[in-house]
Amino acid sequence: GAGVSQTPSNKVTEKGKYVELRCDPISGHTALYWYRQSLGQGPEFLIYFQGTGAADDSGLPNDRFFAVRPEGSVSTLKIQRTERGDSAVYLCASSPIGTDTQYFGPGTRLTVL
Amino acid sequence: GENVEQHPSTLSVQEGDSAVIKCTYSDSASNYFPWYKQELGKRPQLIIDIRSNVGEKKDQRIAVTLNKTAKHFSLHITETQPEDSAVYFCAASYIHFGNEKLTFGTGTRLTIIP
């Protein structure tokens, strides 16, 4: 079946602009995660949804970052007033309920000029 | 919170030899330890995982060992092949009701020399 998909694959924006990154999880997966991967580093946790609610948002770096999952499927990560330091690959992963395995999407490469 | 350290950061081995990557974790409550392989520009893919109720798990040429007392776990790849070249990440998590965040190591770039 289809894996986790993310759009866009690449996003270039200017400092101060607003961006939205989309994640489509594997159908039926109730858990959805957002991670950020900087060059040469491992993925860093941002936020995790169980269904529609954010079960853990402890990784969001500041209040410029926000994520939603209104219908318990697709999720959108929103970044306001982007800064050059936000440049990274943003990865999404999903899991079926009650299992440990996380399946990753291909990521969105965000570049803030 | 959890902290995962991974060594070495780069590793080159001759084709056919074995490769070992080691990770340590800080939170003794962690009980789930997956390993991901990431090729350049691609998504991380799970290659093997281990839970704290076992000390070793093997899948063909790949094995993982876990020492809970020392809080470290290792990935072993035997009979390495060129397609094993990639960046490998270890991770740790505390799973209690299922579905929890992963804390990743900084990665090991493995190069297999033909």
Side-chain angles (χ1 to χ4, degrees):
Chain A
V4 178
S5 61
Q6 293 185 245
T7 54
S9 56
N10 282 283
K11 176 70 176 178
V12 180
T13 190
E14 293 179 345
K15 180 176 178 293
K17 298 291 188 181
Y18 167 83
V19 298
E20 291 190 349
L21 312 179
R22 176 187 168 110
C23 172
D24 280 86
I26 294 172
S27 178
H29 283 195
T30 56
L32 185 147
Y33 310 80
W34 284 99
Y35 294 85
R36 178 168 69 174
Q37 187 173 27
S38 300
L39 192 63
Q41 299 295 315
E44 178 187 20
F45 171 76
L46 295 176
I47 186 170
Y48 146 55
F49 288 89
Q50 186 64 260
T52 60
D56 184 351
D57 64 358
S58 62
L60 295 177
N62 51 60
D63 61 5
R64 295 187 298 105
F65 289 75
F66 189 70
V68 296
R69 196 186 184 199
E71 297 179 357
S73 178
V74 171
S75 177
T76 304
L77 178 66
K78 308 180 181 192
I79 310 174
Q80 299 178 321
R81 306 183 304 279
T82 51
E83 300 177 356
R84 292 194 180 88
D86 298 336
S87 296
V89 174
Y90 288 80
L91 293 165
C92 175
S94 68
S95 289
I97 189 169
T99 70
D100 309 333
T101 303
Q102 296 186 22
Y103 300 88
F104 280 83
T108 294
R109 181 175 298 278
L110 175 66
T111 303
V112 182
L113 300 177
Chain B
E2 176 66 275
N3 182 54
V4 177
E5 295 189 354
Q6 183 171 348
H7 301 280
S9 57
T10 60
L11 179 62
S12 295
V13 301
Q14 291 287 340
E15 182 178 354
D17 287 351
S18 295
V20 181
I21 302 170
K22 299 182 179 181
C23 290
T24 60
Y25 60 98
S26 62
D27 188 349
S28 57
S30 289
N31 58 6
Y32 174 63
F33 308 92
W35 285 88
Y36 283 84
K37 175 183 181 182
Q38 188 174 30
E39 298 178 41
L40 188 63
K42 300 291 181 65
R43 71 188 74 197
Q45 294 200 309
L46 180 72
I47 56 171
I48 195 167
D49 56 14
I50 192 168
R51 289 160 183 81
S52 60
N53 57 345
V54 297
E56 183 173 0
K57 183 177 178 180
K58 190 173 181 180
D59 182 2
Q60 300 183 351
R61 298 186 296 109
I62 295 173
V64 57
T65 58
L66 171 65
N67 183 326
K68 285 189 297 182
T69 302
K71 291 190 284 188
H72 67 70
F73 57 112
S74 300
L75 177 71
H76 305 253
I77 306 174
T78 59
E79 300 172 16
T80 53
Q81 302 169 2
E83 54 264 35
D84 294 331
S85 293
V87 179
Y88 291 80
F89 293 98
C90 62
S93 182
Y94 170 51
I95 307 289
H96 48 300
F97 294 119
N99 303 135
E100 295 291 342
K101 66 184 180 185
L102 296 173
T103 301
F104 284 85
T106 51
T108 296
R109 181 175 299 280
L110 175 63
T111 302
I112 307 302
I113 305 167

